[in-house]
């Protein structure tokens, strides 16, 4: 039976099992959210503010461009990088230090940019006092470099991850995936972009260089000293964009390509640009077949979308606000100068390949077990066990998975992320996929009571790969499973 304690625990899951502190109970009450399931569904919804959190006026800081990492060395085939996983004092809120966990010292890790056909090798050195690891989210990579939850980098150790980049251009990201700890690690800063470009895409002449901008959006809660509070997700009311609170970004009056990622631990952003509208060109796994005009884009935790905005349609001095319908402003674009623009937004991008016929169907059902002292996340009735293979899949085969969110009674939101493969959404509750489901996907939202059917082909690699809810407070308490790809 679900009791009040369990509601609150679910709302404030912590890394090593659930701990409800008196402070958490108090802030939950102060937030005045009487309907407990809201805590997990709409973190930070509206006015339910955290006590003692820092207020920064929207648009008072500039959005930084994320640094692109330089290889320490390059060979004919491979770019070689080194990244330290290290504690650092981060500069997020004006005038305050935020202790956190970082890739290389910055709050959003450095962006790795590569191209299809070029290999990347990254040595991560773990300077934390606890295990960590790195998953390349959206990457088609060997199991040994996938960052399996039990494949950890111990404190003081280093580990080489090799990425073949055989897939087409896409906006990927990398983040921690250490068993039971991923939620807190990612929350405290272990996330960064990994962008694959490809030759065909270049011929399209989409905006590039300074006009191709990765933007990481996520939420967080801070106390009045600027420290991150890892607690009730409903209290993560501060929206960070490339590591700064609700910033502004000066733009030229021309086209830009923005790569948007929701790197929050859980929840969804529903983004609009007022009356201006946006044009979507790509989803998780790369380009759509053609640009799609969008008024609102929903991005659940872990999903990416690429959009083009043409600021040449607006006079210099115009300000356009990217906002979430309920959570408020996210980012303001300030059109500051006229500019030449040789880039294009073609009517046709790149066709999606036909789907090979599926030879197997499987069910994946998400739910919470709320009967014990702490909530346990389940897939098909079982919490994650790294020693168990939930599915065995023959390499080269194509399957349809019916993914269901069975948490109807209390309305917990989930989403579904599969490692190794990009999938396509076939339908949602028997109806055609939504615009948010379009293209190659690796993460897809699943509302309570909904069933989303996805189709994937499991090619190239053998071994163990995870799939899970990407609401990381859920996966880290068990809402994860694994498949073994066999010859
Ligand atoms: Cu982005 Cu298994 O995760
Ligand atoms: Cu979930």
């Amino acid at each position: 039976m679900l009791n009040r304690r369990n509601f609150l625990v679910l709302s404030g899951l912590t890394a090593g099992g659930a701990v409800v502190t008196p402070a958490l109970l108090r802030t939950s009450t102060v937030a005045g959210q009487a309907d407990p399931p809201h805590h997990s569904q709409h973190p930070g919804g509206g006015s339910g503010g955290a006590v003692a959190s820092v207020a920064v006026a929207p648009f008072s800081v500039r959005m930084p461009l994320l640094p692109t990492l330089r290889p320490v060395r390059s060979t004919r085939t491979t770019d070689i990088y080194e990244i330290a996983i290290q504690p650092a004092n981060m500069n997020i809120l004006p005038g305050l230090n935020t202790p956190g966990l970082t890739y290389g010292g910055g709050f959003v890790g450095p962006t790795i940019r590569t191209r299809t056909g070029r290999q990347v090798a990254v040595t991560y050195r773990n300077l934390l006092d606890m295990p960590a690891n790195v998953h390349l989210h959206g990457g088609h990579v060997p199991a040994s470099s996938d960052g399996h939850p039990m494949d950890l980098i111990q404190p003081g150790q280093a580990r080489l991850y090799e990425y073949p980049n055989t897939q087409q251009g896409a906006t990927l990201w990398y983040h921690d995936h250490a068993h039971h700890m991923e939620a807190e690690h990612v929350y405290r800063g272990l996330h960064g972009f990994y962008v694959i470009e490809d030759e065909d895409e270049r011929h399209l002449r989409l905006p590039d260089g300074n006009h191709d901008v990765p933007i990481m959006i996520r939420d967080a809660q801070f106390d009045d000293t600027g420290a991150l509070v890892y607690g009730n997700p409903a209290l993560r009311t501060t929206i960070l964009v490339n590591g700064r609170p609700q910033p502004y970004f000066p733009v030229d009056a021309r086209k830009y390509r923005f790569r948007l990622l929701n790197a929050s631990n859980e929840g969804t952003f529903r983004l609009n640009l007022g009356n201006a509208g946006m044009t979507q060109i790509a989803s998780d796994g790369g380009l759509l077949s053609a640009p799609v005009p969008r008024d609102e884009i929903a991005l659940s935790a872990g999903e990416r979308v690429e959009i083009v905005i043409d600021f040449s349609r607006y006079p210099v001095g115009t300000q356009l606000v990217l906002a979430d319908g309920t959570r408020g402003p996210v980012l303001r674009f300030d059109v500051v100068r006229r500019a030449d623009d040789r880039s294009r937004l073609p009517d046709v991008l790149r066709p999606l390949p036909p789907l090979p016929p599926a030879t197997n169907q499987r069910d994946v059902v998400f739910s919470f077990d709320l009967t014990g002292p702490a909530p346990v996340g389940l897939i098909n009735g079982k919490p994650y066990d790294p020693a168990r293979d939930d599915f065995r899949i023959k390499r080269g085969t194509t399957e349809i998975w019916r993914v269901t969110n069975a948490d109807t009674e209390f309305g917990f939101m989930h989403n579904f992320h599969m490692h190794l493969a990009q999938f396509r959404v076939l339908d949602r509750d028997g109806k055609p996929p939504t615009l948010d489901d379009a293209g190659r996907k690796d993460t897809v939202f699943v509302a309570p009571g909904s069933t989303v059917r996805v189709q994937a082909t499991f090619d190239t690699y053998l071994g163990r790969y995870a799939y899970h809810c990407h609401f990381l407070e859920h996966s880290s308490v068990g809402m994860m499973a694994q498949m073994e790809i066999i010859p």
Side-chain angles (χ1 to χ4, degrees):
M1 243 323 278
L2 187 73
N3 53 38
R4 174 165 174 79
R5 180 183 142 83
N6 263 331
F7 271 136
L8 294 164
V9 170
L10 260 183
S11 313
L13 294 167
T14 57
V19 179
V20 182
T21 65
L24 179 57
L25 288 165
R26 204 161 48 241
T27 50
S28 300
T29 310
V30 168
Q33 302 193 344
D35 178 17
H38 272 65
H39 290 275
S40 284
Q41 292 162 33
H42 304 297
S47 56
V51 285
S53 74
V54 192
V56 180
F59 319 129
S60 51
V61 295
R62 182 179 175 132
M63 182 188 83
L65 295 174
L66 301 174
T68 299
L69 193 62
R70 296 254 187 85
V72 289
R73 212 149 55 74
S74 288
T75 69
R76 202 171 46 74
T77 57
T78 310
D79 294 314
I80 297 156
Y81 297 91
E82 286 172 7
I83 297 178
I85 306 172
Q86 61 185 95
N89 267 320
M90 312 181 299
N91 184 245
I92 299 175
L93 304 172
L96 293 171
N97 272 330
T98 301
L101 310 178
T102 68
Y103 291 119
F107 171 57
V108 172
T111 300
I112 293 179
R113 273 198 186 254
T114 184
R115 57 178 201 269
T116 303
R118 181 123 190 107
Q119 292 165 50
V120 162
V122 194
T123 299
Y124 285 92
R125 182 168 299 281
N126 181 5
L127 304 180
L128 308 179
D129 56 10
M130 56 194 150
N133 77 357
V134 184
H135 168 57
L136 180 60
H137 180 127
H140 186 59
V141 308
S144 56
S145 286
D146 188 57
H148 184 274
M150 301 306 285
D151 189 2
L152 300 169
I153 316 172
Q154 295 303 327
Q157 302 295 302
R159 170 86 157 67
L160 177 70
Y161 291 83
E162 294 177 292
Y163 305 128
N165 304 317
T166 50
Q167 70 202 87
Q168 63 168 53
T171 303
L172 313 183
W173 62 302
Y174 60 97
H175 63 77
D176 189 85
H177 219 300
H179 194 34
H180 292 317
M181 296 184 288
E182 70 270 23
E184 184 161 4
H185 282 179
V186 173
Y187 181 78
R188 295 196 182 279
L190 294 179
H191 45 39
F193 275 101
Y194 184 104
V195 174
I196 303 178
E197 297 167 354
D198 73 53
E199 231 3 68
D200 297 346
E201 200 182 324
R202 239 164 41 95
H203 294 314
L204 297 173
R205 305 224 330 259
L206 293 161
D208 65 358
N210 290 333
H211 307 104
D212 168 356
V213 183
I215 297 180
M216 177 189 286
I217 304 169
R218 58 160 287 182
D219 52 26
Q221 183 192 355
F222 296 89
D223 69 15
D224 54 7
T225 68
L228 279 166
V229 179
Y230 181 64
N232 186 341
L235 302 177
R236 295 175 190 162
T237 51
T238 303
I239 297 173
L240 302 176
V241 182
N242 283 355
R244 305 309 307 274
Q246 294 167 299
Y248 65 92
F249 183 56
V251 293
D252 296 344
R254 51 155 292 154
K255 289 189 285 302
Y256 278 75
R257 175 183 191 164
F258 296 113
R259 301 169 183 268
L260 308 181
L261 156 67
N262 179 358
S264 303
N265 270 25
E266 58 178 79
T268 298
F269 281 99
R270 288 177 210 290
L271 300 169
N272 68 74
L273 198 60
N275 299 325
M278 310 163 270
T279 304
Q280 184 183 352
I281 58 165
S283 52
D284 297 332
L287 291 177
L288 301 177
S289 52
V292 181
R294 303 292 307 270
D295 294 325
E296 186 185 65
I297 293 176
L299 268 189
S300 71
E303 286 185 281
R304 289 86 66 212
V305 75
E306 296 180 36
I307 58 173
V308 170
I309 301 176
D310 187 355
F311 296 106
S312 73
R313 301 195 302 213
Y314 308 101
V316 168
T318 304
Q319 299 180 331
L320 296 172
V321 175
L322 185 71
D324 177 288
T326 52
R327 303 167 76 176
V330 172
L331 167 66
R332 191 183 69 200
F333 297 106
D334 296 355
V335 182
V336 293
R337 71 180 82 78
R338 307 251 41 110
D340 276 356
D341 189 357
R342 306 263 188 91
S343 72
R344 299 175 46 217
L345 178 56
D347 292 338
V348 173
L349 297 168
R350 177 160 50 195
L352 290 163
L355 296 169
T359 52
N360 199 7
Q361 291 227 34
R362 298 181 197 268
D363 285 300
V364 173
V365 179
F366 292 127
S367 64
F368 268 115
D369 175 0
L370 302 170
T371 56
V376 177
L378 307 176
I379 292 184
N380 293 348
K382 297 177 196 146
Y384 178 52
D385 177 354
R388 181 186 70 228
D389 287 328
D390 297 277
F391 293 159
R392 287 225 152 95
I393 298 172
K394 201 167 157 44
R395 176 168 61 185
T397 56
T398 296
E399 300 197 346
I400 293 173
W401 291 16
R402 290 160 35 98
V403 183
T404 299
N405 175 348
D407 275 322
T408 46
E409 189 180 352
F410 301 103
F412 296 112
M413 304 288 180
H414 301 300
N415 72 6
F416 170 71
H417 169 52
M418 179 192 283
H419 289 208
L420 178 64
Q422 292 289 328
F423 54 75
R424 303 266 282 280
V425 177
L426 300 178
D427 48 46
R428 189 176 270 284
D429 298 319
K431 297 193 202 68
T434 67
L435 291 180
D436 291 312
D437 299 327
R440 292 174 154 90
K441 295 287 294 167
D442 55 51
T443 307
V444 67
F445 179 70
V446 192
S450 273
T451 295
V452 178
R453 287 198 316 145
V454 304
Q455 174 161 341
T457 299
F458 302 90
D459 57 13
T460 324
Y461 303 114
L462 300 175
R464 277 184 172 160
Y465 294 89
Y467 52 93
H468 54 90
C469 176
H470 213 287
F471 286 26
L472 296 178
E473 276 84 8
H474 301 182
S475 62
S476 61
V477 297
M479 201 170 284
M480 175 146 65
Q482 65 193 5
M483 53 189 173
E484 170 141 36
I485 313 297
I486 55 173

